[in-house]
């Protein structure tokens, strides 16, 4: 019995949700400040560095718990939405925003209770670590944008060939406990000289767009360097990595004078 080859891979890009990211950012900032303030007041009182008349009451506990809860919700929301913006944002942005906010809250507590010493030092260290994480996140995003532009150049100038999934890297039950599966898939294509090549790609596959053996896609490669892995773009991976539609071979033809 003959079986038709699976059709080309299709992928509907996940909707970008800037409002959700903005909400997550606000929760990280506000929650971080409140958590830092509450923790600072509690620790200062516990070490008896506050004025004798000061007691960290239930209100401080509520501020601490509320701030921590807001920060956790913000971080979770960020982690769920940030992958929709792979060229601009990353997971490191969340702690990079949260730690300076916590530092600001701790400084507020120290100023209110008129203490300094290691409390200020702890706030400075937390802020410095947060800034370092933010800088790392910005650098990583810049590197991803460079890779994106390189792939676009290869798609525009490289040689397109039809490729086939030979190892999807998936088991039938992989999506039972997760909506996304990180795996390594193998693709086979034939170069212009008739040589058969095999390329492996690490991909994050959503349950809405699983890979199957025999599925077809397009590969763009540099015919002068066919074995250079960094000069190869796999249509499936490109779409999943950058949350964009699967690139297709251009069908434009130059106009023929009549």
């Amino acid at each position: 019995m003959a079986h038709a080859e699976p059709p080309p891979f299709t992928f509907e890009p996940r909707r970008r949700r800037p409002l959700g990211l903005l909400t997550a950012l606000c929760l990280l900032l506000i929650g971080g400040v409140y958590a830092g303030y509450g923790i600072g007041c509690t620790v200062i009182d516990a070490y008896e560095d506050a004025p004798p008349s000061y007691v960290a009451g239930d209100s401080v506990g509520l501020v601490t718990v509320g701030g921590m809860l807001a920060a956790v919700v913000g971080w979770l929301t960020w982690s769920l939405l940030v992958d929709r913006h792979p060229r601009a944002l990353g997971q490191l942005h969340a702690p990079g925003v949260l730690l300076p906010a916590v530092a600001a809250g701790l400084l507020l507590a120290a100023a209110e209770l008129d203490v300094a010493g290691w409390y200020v030092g702890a706030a400075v260290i937390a802020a410095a670590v947060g800034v370092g994480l933010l800088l790392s996140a910005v650098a990583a995003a810049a590197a991803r944008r460079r890779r994106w532009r390189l792939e676009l150049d290869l798609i525009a100038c490289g040689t397109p060939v039809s490729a086939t999934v030979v190892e999807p890297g998936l088991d039938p039950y992989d999506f039972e406990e997760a909506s996304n599966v990180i795996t390594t898939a193998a693709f086979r294509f034939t170069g212009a000289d008739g040589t058969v090549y095999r390329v492996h790609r690490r991909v994050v596959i959503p349950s809405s767009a699983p890979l199957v053996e025999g599925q077809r896609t397009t590969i763009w490669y540099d015919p002068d360097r066919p074995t250079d892995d960094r000069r190869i773009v796999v249509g499936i991976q490109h779409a999943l990595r950058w949350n964009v539609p699967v690139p297709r071979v251009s069908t434009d033809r130059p106009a023929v004078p009549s």
Side-chain angles (χ1 to χ4, degrees):
M1 179 179 179
H3 294 275
E5 186 179 27
F9 176 83
T10 58
F11 170 65
E12 184 70 24
R14 291 165 293 177
R15 292 180 58 190
R16 292 173 170 81
R17 300 183 183 276
L19 182 60
L21 286 177
L22 181 60
T23 301
L25 184 63
C26 291
L27 288 172
L28 286 169
L29 287 171
I30 297 172
V33 170
Y34 275 93
Y37 174 81
I39 292 172
C41 289
T42 302
V43 173
I44 291 171
D45 181 42
Y47 279 89
E48 299 181 350
D49 291 327
S53 60
Y54 178 78
V55 177
D58 293 340
S59 60
V60 172
L62 291 175
V63 167
T64 304
V65 173
M68 294 177 66
L69 181 61
V72 168
V73 172
W75 198 331
L76 287 175
T77 303
W78 185 273
S79 66
L80 292 173
L81 297 179
V82 68
D83 289 340
R84 301 167 187 259
H85 307 260
R87 284 169 283 159
L89 303 171
Q91 296 291 352
L92 285 180
H93 281 91
V97 168
L98 178 61
L99 286 176
V102 171
L106 180 55
L107 287 176
L108 286 174
E112 180 179 313
L113 299 178
D114 194 23
V115 298
W118 71 272
Y119 300 106
V120 174
V124 170
I125 291 173
V129 172
V131 171
L133 291 174
L134 272 178
L135 292 175
S136 298
V138 171
R144 290 194 296 271
R145 286 192 294 272
R146 288 194 295 271
R147 180 61 197 176
W148 159 258
R149 289 191 291 267
L150 175 60
E151 290 189 11
L152 292 183
D153 291 341
L154 288 171
I155 290 173
C157 304
T159 299
V161 293
S162 179
T164 304
V165 177
V166 291
E167 290 179 14
L170 298 172
D171 291 324
Y173 307 107
D174 279 344
F175 290 110
E176 282 193 344
E177 297 181 359
S179 58
N180 294 314
V181 173
I182 303 174
T183 187
T184 299
F187 305 86
R188 183 177 60 215
F189 69 97
T190 302
D193 59 355
T195 303
V196 177
Y197 298 96
R198 192 183 183 99
V199 60
H200 293 82
R201 283 290 186 269
R202 182 179 173 85
V203 289
V204 180
I205 304 172
S207 59
S208 59
L211 295 184
V212 296
E213 186 175 349
Q215 205 151 28
R216 291 173 287 145
T217 188
T218 300
I219 279 181
W220 289 262
Y221 76 104
D222 185 344
D224 296 327
R225 290 183 285 174
T227 59
D228 186 347
D229 195 66
R230 288 190 58 83
R231 302 287 297 174
I232 296 174
V233 177
V234 180
I236 287 177
Q237 187 205 23
H238 179 87
L240 294 174
R241 172 188 281 178
W242 305 116
N243 194 34
V244 295
V246 182
R248 303 296 183 193
V249 178
S250 176
T251 57
D252 295 339
R253 294 290 184 270
V256 179
S258 57

